[in-house]
Amino acid sequence: MAIPKIILSIAAFAVSAAALAAQAAKPVKYVFLFIGDGMSIPQRMTAEELARINTGKGLAINSMPHQALTTTRSANSFITDSAASGTAIACGSKTNNGMIGMDPKGGRLKSVAEVARDSGRKVGILTSVTLNHATPAAFYGHNRSRGNYYDLGLDLVESGFDFFGGGGIAECDNKKAKSYKGDIYEIAEGRGYTVVRKDMKALAALKPGCGKVIATGADGALMYNLDAPDSPRIADFTKKAIELLDNERGFFIMVEGGKIDWMCHANDAATVMAEVADFDNAVKVALEFARKNPRDTLVVVTGDHETGGLTMGFAGTAYNSYIDRLNAQKRSREAFNSASKKLAGGGKDIEFEDVIPLLSESFGFVFDEDSESPLALSEAERGELEKAFGRWKKDVSKGALSLAAAKILNNKAGLAWTSDAHTALPVETSAQGAGAEVFSGTIDNTDIAKILKELVR
Ligand SMILES: [Zn+2]
């Protein structure tokens, strides 16, 4: 078939055009790479609409001057996972789903962060999830499986990067790991890292020149912005990373908004949009720095793949959308699940009536068919919730009830989901500052690393 071949050759040309343009570019002193995990155009544009409704202003990530549509497939699948896409964005090569910093045959790849380190720059790796989760690990780790958290933790220390910040280190003391050598935090301290765990005051007190730092705001991932906006945020870590890493040779800082993906898997739009806004706050910190150093700073924002098949429309609301209705949700599905589990604590035989107050408080539902409120539940919607309640009661540790509730609220807002997994929808890469014009047209996720490696030499 001739047509696919032509499309392929056009794509190949676009790839080399971006890489060639990068080769002609001069190094940039300060390079930021922001990755919204699970964030593609629907997540960005729904969050944009909600931000405009709530604040009269759109998001910083959608206001950057250069844009490139970015394809995401992995070496072995049209639909990528975060390990393969992280590796593509970090190292510039395709690999199989599940693999970190290696090609499909197990050959070691070099990431843009490693190139930056080797050229004498300071390097920061930040994420709202755990520091050895797939996306951040792709910048320092080399492993056949993203699930080998302990080994990736060892790679983290081995990288010698200057600043790790955000969530904690997963399985930091996994004695069952074949490579077990002790607690990762202790190994890091032995290698000269200052480790600051869940102590934002101690982190604030650190001064430039303090040496290498691992700073965590939680043992696992940071909390959801919707549930705990005053808890440590990824923007706080971004601010501190800039302060500690600014130096004559420049820096490379990667910041991941990792929980956008998690709540897309959960089909919980309100929590997703709060996470996108949280991620946007971190990007704003970098853009503020760029305003002071306009000729020396590049800010790049991308996603690693789309999650959930989010659609900005719903058959039941036709041409109308009511994105503002997401504001009625006050808890993430995760927080609702723990609160509802408590209600059923000790094997209590609870009735549907018992969860109505929690459902109202969490999702804004009005349980009165005669009410004029747009969040009043129809008989059919109440029926859906009652059925879900029945399923949930069989296993209260699972989220059947919150899933049904989120679906009803999302549909009322004019949104729908088609999957609880990733999709192959391309993502958007945005860029601003020195060298940003290279990010244009259609590129592949591997081009991001190819371009950035030239700029951090
Ligand atoms: Zn995912």
Side-chain angles (χ1 to χ4, degrees), residues 267-268 329 333 336 358-360 362-363 365 367 377 381 384-385 388 391 399-412:
N267 291 180
D268 176 346
Q329 189 176 328
R333 276 194 60 205
F336 178 91
L358 185 63
L359 281 167
S360 297
S362 306
F363 294 94
F365 296 144
F367 286 81
L377 297 179
E381 288 164 340
E384 280 305 312
L385 283 180
R391 291 195 296 275
L401 183 57
S402 64
L403 179 61
K407 185 173 188 280
I408 289 169
L409 181 65
N410 291 185
N411 291 168
K412 280 183 178 296

Side-chain angles (χ1 to χ4, degrees), residues 280-434:
D280 196 65
N281 286 337
V283 175
K284 278 185 200 147
V285 171
L287 292 175
E288 183 57 40
F289 177 82
R291 259 187 287 282
K292 291 179 207 143
N293 305 275
R295 261 178 292 178
D296 290 329
T297 310
L298 171 66
V299 181
V300 177
V301 178
T302 193
D304 60 349
H305 51 74
E306 199 275 342
T307 304
L310 175 63
T311 52
M312 298 188 282
F314 170 58
T317 50
Y319 286 86
N320 298 311
S321 62
Y322 310 95
I323 306 296
D324 60 299
R325 291 179 185 170
L326 295 180
N327 286 331
Q329 189 176 328
K330 302 298 179 205
R331 275 193 183 94
S332 68
R333 276 194 60 205
E334 192 175 283
F336 178 91
N337 290 348
S338 3
S340 56
K341 204 173 145 190
K342 265 189 212 144
L343 283 180
K348 243 180 274 161
D349 187 26
I350 60 169
E351 299 294 323
F352 182 69
E353 306 297 324
D354 300 322
V355 295
I356 284 181
L358 185 63
L359 281 167
S360 297
E361 192 188 304
S362 306
F363 294 94
F365 296 144
V366 176
F367 286 81
D368 174 3
E369 275 176 63
D370 300 326
S371 164
E372 296 284 298
S373 164
L375 294 173
L377 297 179
S378 66
E379 208 183 310
E381 288 164 340
R382 187 190 162 112
E384 280 305 312
L385 283 180
E386 285 183 17
K387 263 191 251 163
F389 173 81
R391 291 195 296 275
W392 170 76
K393 248 179 79 171
K394 287 182 194 138
D395 185 354
V396 295
S397 68
K398 296 228 172 86
L401 183 57
S402 64
L403 179 61
K407 185 173 188 280
I408 289 169
L409 181 65
N410 291 185
N411 291 168
K412 280 183 178 296
L415 296 168
W417 302 85
T418 59
S419 173
D420 62 2
H422 299 177
T423 74
L425 191 72
V427 296
E428 185 179 12
T429 301
S430 306
Q432 173 173 331

Side-chain angles (χ1 to χ4, degrees), residues 67-80:
Q67 318 291 336
L69 191 71
T70 309
T71 51
T72 66
R73 73 176 306 148
S74 70
N76 65 339
S77 177
F78 184 42
I79 301 175
T80 187

Side-chain angles (χ1 to χ4, degrees), residues 114 122 141 150 179 226 229 268 358 382 384 395 404 437:
E114 290 167 328
K122 293 210 185 285
Y150 184 82
S179 53
L226 187 70
D268 176 346
L358 185 63
R382 187 190 162 112
E384 280 305 312
D395 185 354
E437 59 285 347

Side-chain angles (χ1 to χ4, degrees), residues 221-235:
L222 299 181
M223 296 182 80
Y224 284 107
N225 192 30
L226 187 70
D227 295 329
D230 297 328
S231 63
R233 307 312 316 161
I234 195 64

Side-chain angles (χ1 to χ4, degrees), residues 79-396:
I79 301 175
T80 187
D81 82 327
S82 291
S85 59
T87 300
I89 296 167
C91 305
S93 299
K94 294 292 185 192
T95 195
N96 293 342
N97 285 359
M99 295 181 79
I100 300 275
M102 280 183 168
D103 65 31
K105 289 183 176 149
R108 199 180 162 101
L109 300 169
K110 190 165 187 175
S111 79
V112 53
E114 290 167 328
V115 171
R117 173 198 64 199
D118 293 349
S119 66
R121 291 164 183 262
K122 293 210 185 285
V123 174
I125 300 294
L126 287 66
T127 178
S128 60
V129 298
T130 48
L131 293 170
N132 46 350
H133 210 263
T135 306
F139 288 82
Y140 59 75
H142 306 276
N143 203 291
R144 283 180 179 278
S145 170
R146 61 183 287 174
N148 291 333
Y149 287 112
Y150 184 82
D151 298 79
L152 292 169
L154 290 177
D155 285 353
L156 181 156
V157 177
E158 198 59 39
S159 73
F161 292 169
D162 303 274
F163 186 92
F164 290 95
I169 296 174
E171 298 184 15
C172 63
D173 196 28
N174 181 1
K175 296 186 175 68
K176 284 184 193 145
K178 275 192 201 128
S179 53
Y180 186 73
K181 290 179 191 154
D183 181 273
I184 301 282
Y185 292 109
E186 284 169 22
I187 295 170
E189 278 171 334
R191 295 287 290 273
Y193 277 92
T194 298
V195 175
V196 183
R197 294 178 74 175
K198 297 192 285 179
D199 188 345
M200 298 305 275
K201 271 193 189 143
L203 177 61
L206 293 180
K207 291 277 169 305
C210 65
K212 298 174 195 290
V213 173
I214 297 176
T216 69
D219 288 330
L222 299 181
M223 296 182 80
Y224 284 107
N225 192 30
L226 187 70
D227 295 329
D230 297 328
S231 63
R233 307 312 316 161
I234 195 64
D236 304 333
F237 290 96
T238 307
K239 216 175 273 172
K240 198 63 192 181
I242 292 171
E243 183 197 334
L244 295 182
L245 301 184
D246 189 4
N247 78 104
E248 265 314 296
R249 300 294 300 274
F251 59 59
F252 169 78
I253 295 176
M254 191 290 294
V255 183
E256 186 207 14
K259 295 183 92 172
I260 298 167
D261 173 69
W262 294 12
M263 280 295 121
C264 287
H265 280 286
N267 291 180
D268 176 346
T271 309
V272 168
M273 299 318 144
E275 287 304 298
V276 175
D278 191 50
F279 176 72
D280 196 65
N281 286 337
V283 175
K284 278 185 200 147
V285 171
L287 292 175
E288 183 57 40
F289 177 82
R291 259 187 287 282
K292 291 179 207 143
N293 305 275
R295 261 178 292 178
D296 290 329
T297 310
L298 171 66
V299 181
V300 177
V301 178
T302 193
D304 60 349
H305 51 74
E306 199 275 342
T307 304
L310 175 63
T311 52
M312 298 188 282
F314 170 58
T317 50
Y319 286 86
N320 298 311
S321 62
Y322 310 95
I323 306 296
D324 60 299
R325 291 179 185 170
L326 295 180
N327 286 331
Q329 189 176 328
K330 302 298 179 205
R331 275 193 183 94
S332 68
R333 276 194 60 205
E334 192 175 283
F336 178 91
N337 290 348
S338 3
S340 56
K341 204 173 145 190
K342 265 189 212 144
L343 283 180
K348 243 180 274 161
D349 187 26
I350 60 169
E351 299 294 323
F352 182 69
E353 306 297 324
D354 300 322
V355 295
I356 284 181
L358 185 63
L359 281 167
S360 297
E361 192 188 304
S362 306
F363 294 94
F365 296 144
V366 176
F367 286 81
D368 174 3
E369 275 176 63
D370 300 326
S371 164
E372 296 284 298
S373 164
L375 294 173
L377 297 179
S378 66
E379 208 183 310
E381 288 164 340
R382 187 190 162 112
E384 280 305 312
L385 283 180
E386 285 183 17
K387 263 191 251 163
F389 173 81
R391 291 195 296 275
W392 170 76
K393 248 179 79 171
K394 287 182 194 138
D395 185 354
V396 295

